[in-house]
Amino acid sequence: MLSAHPDPDAYRASLANLRSLLAIRAIALCGQAGVLTWVLLASRGGTSLPGLSASLALLAGFTAATYWRSRQPWPVTDGEFFGQLLGDVAVWSALMYFSGGANNPFISYYIVPVVVSAAVLPWRYTWLVTGASLVAYSVLLYVYVPLPLFSPHAAMGHGDAGNMHTLGMWFNFLFSAGLITYFVVRMGAILRAQASRDAKQREDRLRNDQIMAVASLAAGTAHELATPLATMTVTVDELLEDPALPGAARADCEILRDQLAACRSTLRELSSTAELTSATRPRRQPLDAFARETLERWAVRRPAVRHGFESQAGPAPAVLTEPTLAQALENLLNNAADSGGDRVEVSTRWDTREGRVTVRDNGPGIPRELLADPGKPVLLGSRKGLGIGLMLSHAAVERHGGRIELRNLDGGSEARLVLPLAPPGETGGSATATLTENEEQA
């Protein structure tokens, strides 16, 4: 059941329903035009033909007006759709009045607006449409212009007229049943599609709320970490300046200094990303260069993880990137490194429409919970985390028109970052197929 709603998207189903109703009315118009032709050929005139022709012209005008309305972007409200159905009842009553009233085999067409109303409108409108149809049918039992072709008991020789009346009743049943079946099935599909869209919108809003909560927590955490990182950096620098520091301890302090520098760089990137505005233009970058730079920056933070990079031969197409996309790829790399394997492989491929960055590992595979919906935060109950990183990656990539695909392989898993290619233009350089590898051990 549809109802008025200020969101224009909520009226797409109602507009589609109006167009379906227009199609039914057009079919009924063509059918009644055929009936009029049949009457002219069979009875060769009659006192009701002027009224029948005028009623048919009224139905044609109503159909044309509805066609014009269906081409407009205005939302279709329940009240307007109700008015359309009442118009059908009124015009059909005029047609039936001039063509034999309740003796007309097409009288049962009144069931069509009743069924349509029950499928689309609230109950109060449906009862009104039903009441109007019932009143019209009841009046036409006694008040009408006789049409001998559809009035077998009023005609001389009941046999031929009765056969025509029976054939008309059969044809009307076939016609009404077909229209009702078509419309109700179509309406059900439209309503299901709208329900699916509404559910997806609710899920998107919930996910965005979760992302905002995580972003707020990350901003506060970054602010709180700045001071202790600065203190640790000063302390490590002082230790390195001590000439009496043993060689093994000095090497450890140098590694610690590099890791602290990486942490401080990450915090600076987080702060700068938070300050980006919608006017900031994304960076245009070759796909393989984007993947390689992100991998090299990530490798500094994870020196114990072996990794390799491979790119498709030929100049790489450009994609539009920004820090959130790089962070999304780093999250995929972290997930691969934390999977339990001992190696991470990154490769880039592309076609004429999109580019793909694939991250493979040789771990035990991706949990089923994440395979079902990579954009949903999942509580894994282990040291691997809550799946929030993958949720954030999915949201960032989806915002840029891309997607993340996950699948398990024989002896590992694969995460694929798919991005649309940037419009044609200079990429600022190209890359060739290379294979670089870092075999550092912990």
Side-chain angles (χ1 to χ4, degrees):
M1 181 175 63
L2 303 179
S3 60
H5 194 280
D7 184 3
D9 290 341
Y11 295 108
R12 290 179 179 174
S14 294
L15 189 57
N17 293 338
L18 180 61
R19 290 169 181 165
S20 297
L21 182 60
L22 173 64
I24 293 176
R25 191 179 298 153
I27 295 173
L29 174 63
C30 294
Q32 290 304 301
V35 169
L36 178 60
T37 303
W38 184 23
V39 169
L40 290 173
L41 294 176
S43 62
R44 302 185 183 278
T47 58
S48 64
L49 287 182
L52 184 60
S53 300
S55 301
L56 198 60
L58 180 61
L59 178 60
F62 188 33
T63 303
T66 304
Y67 174 78
W68 175 85
R69 169 63 184 89
S70 68
R71 310 299 297 178
Q72 307 306 313
W74 314 324
V76 178
T77 62
D78 289 343
E80 180 181 355
F81 202 89
F82 170 68
Q84 290 280 340
L85 294 177
L86 283 185
D88 279 333
V89 173
V91 175
W92 199 256
S93 298
L95 277 170
M96 293 299 101
Y97 172 78
F98 289 106
S99 58
N103 292 318
N104 191 318
F106 292 95
I107 191 69
S108 59
Y109 180 81
Y110 282 119
I111 195 66
V112 173
V114 173
V115 172
V116 171
S117 178
V120 178
L121 298 177
W123 282 108
R124 62 182 184 276
Y125 291 125
T126 301
W127 282 115
L128 290 174
V129 172
T130 302
S133 300
L134 182 60
V135 169
Y137 197 142
S138 301
V139 171
L140 289 170
L141 288 172
Y142 305 101
V143 181
Y144 59 89
V145 177
L147 187 64
L149 193 63
F150 289 150
S151 301
H153 300 294
M156 296 298 294
H158 293 185
D160 293 339
N163 290 336
M164 288 186 179
H165 185 83
T166 303
L167 180 62
M169 294 292 290
W170 174 85
F171 179 76
N172 181 60
F173 173 78
L174 178 65
F175 175 75
S176 299
L179 288 182
I180 290 171
T181 301
Y182 163 77
F183 191 84
V184 170
V185 169
R186 179 179 174 85
M187 280 304 309
I190 292 174
L191 294 176
R192 286 192 296 271
Q194 181 176 354
S196 177
R197 287 194 300 269
D198 292 342
K200 186 177 185 302
Q201 290 176 355
R202 286 193 296 269
E203 292 178 358
D204 290 343
R205 285 195 296 268
L206 177 60
R207 187 181 66 184
N208 290 337
D209 291 342
Q210 294 171 332
I211 291 173
M212 289 300 299
V214 172
S216 300
L217 179 61
T221 303
H223 179 73
E224 294 175 0
L225 288 177
T227 300
L229 283 176
T231 302
M232 287 186 286
T233 300
V234 172
T235 303
V236 170
D237 290 339
E238 291 177 351
L239 289 174
L240 289 174
E241 292 175 358
D242 187 359
L245 187 67
R250 183 175 297 276
D252 291 340
C253 286
E254 290 175 352
I255 295 176
L256 183 59
R257 180 181 58 187
D258 294 339
Q259 296 300 311
L260 289 172
C263 291
R264 297 180 66 182
S265 175
T266 301
L267 290 180
R268 284 194 298 270
E269 291 178 2
L270 179 62
S271 300
S272 62
T273 300
E275 295 172 358
L276 290 176
T277 64
S278 58
T280 303
R281 297 183 58 184
R283 178 186 178 189
R284 189 181 181 90
Q285 191 175 16
L287 177 68
D288 54 355
F290 162 70
R292 187 198 302 274
E293 290 180 7
T294 305
L295 176 63
E296 292 175 350
R297 185 167 56 249
W298 171 82
V300 174
R301 304 187 183 98
R302 305 295 293 266
V305 180
R306 295 186 301 161
H307 63 272
F309 177 80
E310 182 181 7
S311 177
Q312 178 177 327
V319 293
L320 299 179
T321 66
E322 62 171 272
T324 56
L325 287 180
Q327 292 168 2
L329 181 54
E330 289 188 21
N331 281 332
L332 298 181
L333 291 169
N334 285 327
N335 290 339
D338 295 337
S339 65
D342 59 357
R343 183 174 179 80
V344 175
E345 295 285 350
V346 178
S347 61
T348 57
R349 298 288 186 272
W350 56 83
D351 54 29
T352 57
R353 297 184 299 107
E354 57 188 20
R356 299 176 293 277
V357 181
T358 303
V359 180
R360 295 187 181 90
D361 62 69
N362 57 355
I366 301 173
R368 293 181 179 179
E369 299 91 330
L370 292 180
L371 284 176
D373 188 356
K376 181 179 179 180
V378 178
L379 183 62
L380 299 179
S382 68
R383 65 181 180 84
K384 298 177 183 179
L386 301 177
I388 293 178
L390 187 59
M391 179 192 71
L392 297 176
S393 300
H394 181 83
V397 174
E398 192 178 58
R399 192 167 57 250
H400 290 80
R403 64 186 184 276
I404 292 178
E405 300 174 350
L406 304 177
R407 65 170 181 167
N408 285 324
L409 307 172
D410 293 336
S413 61
E414 176 181 282
R416 180 174 296 172
L417 176 64
V418 183
L419 296 173
L421 300 184
E426 296 183 1
T427 61
S430 62
T432 58
T434 56
L435 181 64
T436 60
E437 186 172 347
N438 176 14
E439 297 292 342
E440 296 184 11
Q441 302 293 331

